[in-house]
Amino acid sequence: IVRARGASALVAGGNATHNASRHNPSEPRGLVILFALLDDVGMNDLVNSTDIAAATPYIHALARDGVALARYYAQACCTPGRATILTGRYIWTSGMQYSMIFNDSPWGVPTSHELLPTSIRRLGYATHAVGKWDIGSYARDMWPTNRGFDSFFGLVGDALGWTTHIACVSYDTHCDSITDLHYDEANAAGLAGNYTTWMFGNHTQGLIRELAAGAPADEGLFVYFAYNAGHKSVEVPEPYGSQLMGELQ
C-alpha cells in the first residue's frame, strides 16, 4: 500500500501453482497484478486514521502484512496523479500539471507517451482498465483500449452519479445530459441503479475468475482498478447511509 496526498494505491500480486495436478481451479494460474487506485484520498485517511479505521480492515491488513511506502509522493488531484502513474513520468513532461480533465476537455496525455499497460503487455499479460480514466478522451485514440488496455469498463471523465452514472459535460455544468459509463468505446446502457464501487469491484473479480477458468498457464493478468471513490459527490448506499447518518447525529 502506498499513501499520498490526493491518492492511495494498493498493489497486490498473487501466483497460483502451475502444476495442473495441484492447481486450485478457483485461482488464476498466472501472476495477477492488481493496481487499485483510490481517488482524492488524503494521506491520513486510511492507515493512520483514527476516526474511520474500523471501516477499512482489509486495507489495514495489507499495510500490516505487506509493505507500506510512507514516503510515496503523488499529485493532489485526479488527472495529474493518474497521468503520473500511467506514464511513469513527471507531469510537466506530458503537460498534465494544470488541472482536471472533464468530458469536454480538448486535451489529454499525448499519444506519443507510452502508457504502463503497453509495456506490461509485452511481458505476456492481459491488461484491463476498470473505473475512472480521466487523462483524456476527446479523441478515440486516447481511450483506454487504444492506449494499451485489452478492455475498459468505467468512466472517462472526472465524476459521475454513483448509481445514476449521469455526468457533467464540464465542471458543474450541463450535469444531466450524458451518461459516462462505457464498455470499451461503447456506452454501457441499462446499468443505472448499480453503485459504482460495488459494480467496478464485481467486474474486477470477474476478470480474475475468467483468468482462473481458462487462460494459458503462462498468461498473467494486470488490472488497473481505478475507483471513482472518494471523489465528489459523496454518495453512500443503503443501508450504510442511514447507519452513518444515525451515528453522526
Side-chain angles (χ1 to χ4, degrees), residues 2 8-12 33-38 223-227:
V2 293
S8 290
L10 311 178
V11 185
I33 301 175
L34 173 63
F35 191 104
L37 179 65
L38 309 184
V223 181
Y224 172 65
F225 183 12
Y227 288 95

Side-chain angles (χ1 to χ4, degrees), residues 194-208:
N194 288 285
Y195 187 67
T196 54
T197 297
W198 297 340
M199 182 172 61
F200 293 150
N202 290 336
H203 186 78
T204 299
Q205 290 182 44
L207 292 171
I208 296 173

Side-chain angles (χ1 to χ4, degrees), residues 18 64 87-88 101 110 114 138 149 160-161 185 196 214 216 231 235:
H18 286 220
R64 182 186 65 246
T87 64
I101 285 181
E114 181 175 285
Y138 74 93
F149 286 106
L160 80 172
E185 296 183 29
T196 54
H231 192 283
E235 299 178 26

Side-chain angles (χ1 to χ4, degrees), residues 65-77:
D65 301 332
V67 177
L69 306 181
R71 298 188 64 177
Y72 178 92
Y73 299 101
Q75 305 305 315
C77 63

